[in-house]
mmCIF file of all heavy atoms in Angstrom:
data_model
loop_
_atom_site.group_PDB
_atom_site.id
_atom_site.type_symbol
_atom_site.label_atom_id
_atom_site.label_comp_id
_atom_site.label_asym_id
_atom_site.label_seq_id
_atom_site.Cartn_x
_atom_site.Cartn_y
_atom_site.Cartn_z
ATOM 1 N N LEU V 907 60.203 46.870 70.722
ATOM 2 C CA LEU V 907 59.950 46.821 72.141
ATOM 3 C C LEU V 907 59.974 45.379 72.651
ATOM 4 O O LEU V 907 60.543 45.097 73.737
ATOM 5 C CB LEU V 907 58.600 47.438 72.443
ATOM 6 C CG LEU V 907 58.460 48.958 72.185
ATOM 7 C CD1 LEU V 907 57.040 49.406 72.465
ATOM 8 C CD2 LEU V 907 59.453 49.756 73.057
ATOM 9 N N GLY V 908 59.411 44.423 71.905
ATOM 10 C CA GLY V 908 59.478 43.063 72.318
ATOM 11 C C GLY V 908 60.940 42.542 72.298
ATOM 12 O O GLY V 908 61.334 41.791 73.215
ATOM 13 N N GLN V 909 61.688 42.940 71.281
ATOM 14 C CA GLN V 909 63.098 42.564 71.215
ATOM 15 C C GLN V 909 63.902 43.056 72.462
ATOM 16 O O GLN V 909 64.725 42.339 73.041
ATOM 17 C CB GLN V 909 63.725 43.103 69.940
ATOM 18 C CG GLN V 909 65.134 42.649 69.696
ATOM 19 C CD GLN V 909 65.726 43.304 68.423
ATOM 20 O OE1 GLN V 909 64.971 43.890 67.662
ATOM 21 N NE2 GLN V 909 66.982 43.110 68.215
ATOM 22 N N ILE V 910 63.620 44.322 72.833
ATOM 23 C CA ILE V 910 64.264 44.905 74.018
ATOM 24 C C ILE V 910 63.920 44.136 75.281
ATOM 25 O O ILE V 910 64.778 43.850 76.109
ATOM 26 C CB ILE V 910 63.887 46.367 74.164
ATOM 27 C CG1 ILE V 910 64.413 47.190 73.002
ATOM 28 C CG2 ILE V 910 64.432 46.977 75.485
ATOM 29 C CD1 ILE V 910 63.946 48.636 72.987
ATOM 30 N N TYR V 911 62.653 43.737 75.396
ATOM 31 C CA TYR V 911 62.210 43.014 76.601
ATOM 32 C C TYR V 911 62.976 41.706 76.693
ATOM 33 O O TYR V 911 63.516 41.360 77.774
ATOM 34 C CB TYR V 911 60.708 42.732 76.472
ATOM 35 C CG TYR V 911 60.252 41.765 77.560
ATOM 36 C CD1 TYR V 911 59.992 42.178 78.871
ATOM 37 C CD2 TYR V 911 59.994 40.427 77.223
ATOM 38 C CE1 TYR V 911 59.597 41.296 79.851
ATOM 39 C CE2 TYR V 911 59.539 39.540 78.194
ATOM 40 C CZ TYR V 911 59.341 39.972 79.481
ATOM 41 O OH TYR V 911 58.895 39.085 80.445
ATOM 42 N N PHE V 912 63.104 40.935 75.632
ATOM 43 C CA PHE V 912 63.823 39.651 75.684
ATOM 44 C C PHE V 912 65.286 39.884 75.916
ATOM 45 O O PHE V 912 65.963 39.084 76.620
ATOM 46 C CB PHE V 912 63.575 38.880 74.382
ATOM 47 C CG PHE V 912 62.222 38.321 74.295
ATOM 48 C CD1 PHE V 912 61.325 38.727 73.267
ATOM 49 C CD2 PHE V 912 61.712 37.365 75.184
ATOM 50 C CE1 PHE V 912 60.093 38.187 73.151
ATOM 51 C CE2 PHE V 912 60.446 36.826 75.087
ATOM 52 C CZ PHE V 912 59.628 37.264 74.058
ATOM 53 N N ASP V 913 65.891 40.902 75.353
ATOM 54 C CA ASP V 913 67.320 41.154 75.536
ATOM 55 C C ASP V 913 67.632 41.475 76.993
ATOM 56 O O ASP V 913 68.661 41.043 77.554
ATOM 57 C CB ASP V 913 67.785 42.358 74.650
ATOM 58 C CG ASP V 913 67.886 41.910 73.166
ATOM 59 O OD1 ASP V 913 67.966 40.711 72.905
ATOM 60 O OD2 ASP V 913 67.921 42.824 72.328
ATOM 61 N N LEU V 914 66.768 42.309 77.616
ATOM 62 C CA LEU V 914 67.031 42.727 78.960
ATOM 63 C C LEU V 914 66.622 41.682 79.995
ATOM 64 O O LEU V 914 66.878 41.856 81.185
ATOM 65 C CB LEU V 914 66.302 44.070 79.252
ATOM 66 C CG LEU V 914 66.846 45.234 78.461
ATOM 67 C CD1 LEU V 914 66.065 46.510 78.792
ATOM 68 C CD2 LEU V 914 68.323 45.446 78.729
ATOM 69 N N ARG V 915 65.989 40.610 79.551
ATOM 70 C CA ARG V 915 65.723 39.489 80.481
ATOM 71 C C ARG V 915 66.941 38.636 80.705
ATOM 72 O O ARG V 915 67.068 37.950 81.737
ATOM 73 C CB ARG V 915 64.604 38.638 79.924
ATOM 74 C CG ARG V 915 63.186 39.258 80.015
ATOM 75 C CD ARG V 915 62.687 39.181 81.429
ATOM 76 N NE ARG V 915 62.499 37.794 81.866
ATOM 77 C CZ ARG V 915 62.376 37.400 83.122
ATOM 78 N NH1 ARG V 915 62.508 38.248 84.093
ATOM 79 N NH2 ARG V 915 62.163 36.051 83.399
ATOM 80 N N LEU V 916 67.900 38.647 79.789
ATOM 81 C CA LEU V 916 69.078 37.772 79.834
ATOM 82 C C LEU V 916 69.908 38.028 81.080
ATOM 83 O O LEU V 916 70.339 37.044 81.701
ATOM 84 C CB LEU V 916 69.895 37.921 78.557
ATOM 85 C CG LEU V 916 69.201 37.411 77.282
ATOM 86 C CD1 LEU V 916 70.113 37.705 76.096
ATOM 87 C CD2 LEU V 916 68.932 35.934 77.366
ATOM 88 N N PRO V 917 70.248 39.245 81.439
ATOM 89 C CA PRO V 917 71.004 39.441 82.689
ATOM 90 C C PRO V 917 70.387 38.874 83.928
ATOM 91 O O PRO V 917 71.090 38.416 84.852
ATOM 92 C CB PRO V 917 71.138 40.962 82.778
ATOM 93 C CG PRO V 917 71.013 41.471 81.373
ATOM 94 C CD PRO V 917 69.971 40.580 80.758
ATOM 95 N N ASP V 918 69.035 38.947 84.022
ATOM 96 C CA ASP V 918 68.352 38.364 85.170
ATOM 97 C C ASP V 918 68.569 36.839 85.209
ATOM 98 O O ASP V 918 68.837 36.277 86.316
ATOM 99 C CB ASP V 918 66.871 38.670 85.134
ATOM 100 C CG ASP V 918 66.577 40.147 85.273
ATOM 101 O OD1 ASP V 918 67.402 40.801 85.974
ATOM 102 O OD2 ASP V 918 65.540 40.618 84.744
ATOM 103 N N TYR V 919 68.533 36.185 84.100
ATOM 104 C CA TYR V 919 68.766 34.751 84.028
ATOM 105 C C TYR V 919 70.252 34.447 84.390
ATOM 106 O O TYR V 919 70.555 33.438 85.018
ATOM 107 C CB TYR V 919 68.484 34.178 82.656
ATOM 108 C CG TYR V 919 67.004 34.082 82.348
ATOM 109 C CD1 TYR V 919 66.408 34.772 81.327
ATOM 110 C CD2 TYR V 919 66.178 33.240 83.134
ATOM 111 C CE1 TYR V 919 65.012 34.658 81.068
ATOM 112 C CE2 TYR V 919 64.820 33.138 82.899
ATOM 113 C CZ TYR V 919 64.265 33.833 81.850
ATOM 114 O OH TYR V 919 62.886 33.736 81.591
ATOM 115 N N MET V 920 71.136 35.368 83.964
ATOM 116 C CA MET V 920 72.562 35.203 84.319
ATOM 117 C C MET V 920 72.757 35.264 85.806
ATOM 118 O O MET V 920 73.525 34.517 86.438
ATOM 119 C CB MET V 920 73.419 36.251 83.603
ATOM 120 C CG MET V 920 73.553 36.100 82.104
ATOM 121 S SD MET V 920 74.529 37.395 81.362
ATOM 122 C CE MET V 920 76.073 37.224 82.215
ATOM 123 N N SER V 921 72.040 36.190 86.455
ATOM 124 C CA SER V 921 72.106 36.291 87.916
ATOM 125 C C SER V 921 71.585 35.024 88.600
ATOM 126 O O SER V 921 72.197 34.502 89.526
ATOM 127 C CB SER V 921 71.287 37.496 88.388
ATOM 128 O OG SER V 921 71.264 37.585 89.784
ATOM 129 N N ASP V 922 70.480 34.505 88.057
ATOM 130 C CA ASP V 922 69.917 33.240 88.606
ATOM 131 C C ASP V 922 70.900 32.080 88.458
ATOM 132 O O ASP V 922 71.059 31.281 89.364
ATOM 133 C CB ASP V 922 68.598 32.965 87.994
ATOM 134 C CG ASP V 922 67.491 33.969 88.280
ATOM 135 O OD1 ASP V 922 67.665 34.686 89.267
ATOM 136 O OD2 ASP V 922 66.501 34.081 87.473
ATOM 137 N N LEU V 923 71.527 31.997 87.242
ATOM 138 C CA LEU V 923 72.443 30.974 87.013
ATOM 139 C C LEU V 923 73.666 31.048 87.964
ATOM 140 O O LEU V 923 74.168 30.025 88.529
ATOM 141 C CB LEU V 923 72.965 30.976 85.598
ATOM 142 C CG LEU V 923 72.133 30.275 84.549
ATOM 143 C CD1 LEU V 923 72.656 30.477 83.154
ATOM 144 C CD2 LEU V 923 72.010 28.798 84.883
ATOM 145 N N THR V 924 74.126 32.249 88.162
ATOM 146 C CA THR V 924 75.263 32.498 89.074
ATOM 147 C C THR V 924 74.943 32.008 90.511
ATOM 148 O O THR V 924 75.735 31.304 91.150
ATOM 149 C CB THR V 924 75.666 33.968 89.094
ATOM 150 O OG1 THR V 924 75.968 34.421 87.789
ATOM 151 C CG2 THR V 924 76.862 34.236 90.001
ATOM 152 N N VAL V 925 73.753 32.361 90.959
ATOM 153 C CA VAL V 925 73.330 31.973 92.315
ATOM 154 C C VAL V 925 73.201 30.421 92.403
ATOM 155 O O VAL V 925 73.619 29.803 93.369
ATOM 156 C CB VAL V 925 71.986 32.645 92.694
ATOM 157 C CG1 VAL V 925 71.493 32.062 93.991
ATOM 158 C CG2 VAL V 925 72.192 34.125 92.786
ATOM 159 N N LEU V 926 72.580 29.807 91.334
ATOM 160 C CA LEU V 926 72.391 28.385 91.351
ATOM 161 C C LEU V 926 73.760 27.627 91.317
ATOM 162 O O LEU V 926 73.963 26.643 92.030
ATOM 163 C CB LEU V 926 71.592 27.957 90.127
ATOM 164 C CG LEU V 926 70.094 28.248 90.169
ATOM 165 C CD1 LEU V 926 69.432 27.982 88.814
ATOM 166 C CD2 LEU V 926 69.408 27.449 91.245
ATOM 167 N N ILE V 927 74.670 28.104 90.499
ATOM 168 C CA ILE V 927 75.967 27.428 90.415
ATOM 169 C C ILE V 927 76.778 27.591 91.725
ATOM 170 O O ILE V 927 77.450 26.633 92.179
ATOM 171 C CB ILE V 927 76.777 27.998 89.207
ATOM 172 C CG1 ILE V 927 76.080 27.633 87.932
ATOM 173 C CG2 ILE V 927 78.213 27.475 89.195
ATOM 174 C CD1 ILE V 927 76.649 28.296 86.690
ATOM 175 N N LYS V 928 76.699 28.754 92.335
ATOM 176 C CA LYS V 928 77.480 28.998 93.553
ATOM 177 C C LYS V 928 76.875 28.437 94.803
ATOM 178 O O LYS V 928 77.515 28.268 95.834
ATOM 179 C CB LYS V 928 77.719 30.533 93.734
ATOM 180 C CG LYS V 928 78.583 31.171 92.680
ATOM 181 C CD LYS V 928 80.043 30.732 92.820
ATOM 182 C CE LYS V 928 80.936 31.472 91.836
ATOM 183 N NZ LYS V 928 82.336 30.983 92.008
ATOM 184 N N THR V 929 75.554 28.139 94.741
ATOM 185 C CA THR V 929 74.859 27.603 95.913
ATOM 186 C C THR V 929 75.034 26.090 95.962
ATOM 187 O O THR V 929 74.639 25.381 95.058
ATOM 188 C CB THR V 929 73.401 27.967 95.863
ATOM 189 O OG1 THR V 929 73.245 29.380 95.797
ATOM 190 C CG2 THR V 929 72.670 27.458 97.125
ATOM 191 N N PRO V 930 75.556 25.574 97.077
ATOM 192 C CA PRO V 930 75.746 24.116 97.217
ATOM 193 C C PRO V 930 74.357 23.414 97.203
ATOM 194 O O PRO V 930 73.404 23.916 97.780
ATOM 195 C CB PRO V 930 76.426 23.978 98.562
ATOM 196 C CG PRO V 930 77.075 25.263 98.847
ATOM 197 C CD PRO V 930 76.185 26.307 98.208
ATOM 198 N N GLY V 931 74.327 22.280 96.564
ATOM 199 C CA GLY V 931 73.105 21.476 96.588
ATOM 200 C C GLY V 931 72.111 21.865 95.539
ATOM 201 O O GLY V 931 70.929 21.329 95.561
#
């Protein structure tokens, strides 16, 4: 269950990275 939690957190970080990279400044 802990492994699943950490695995499924990765897409959320990917979304945050995408927003950060695409957002100017």
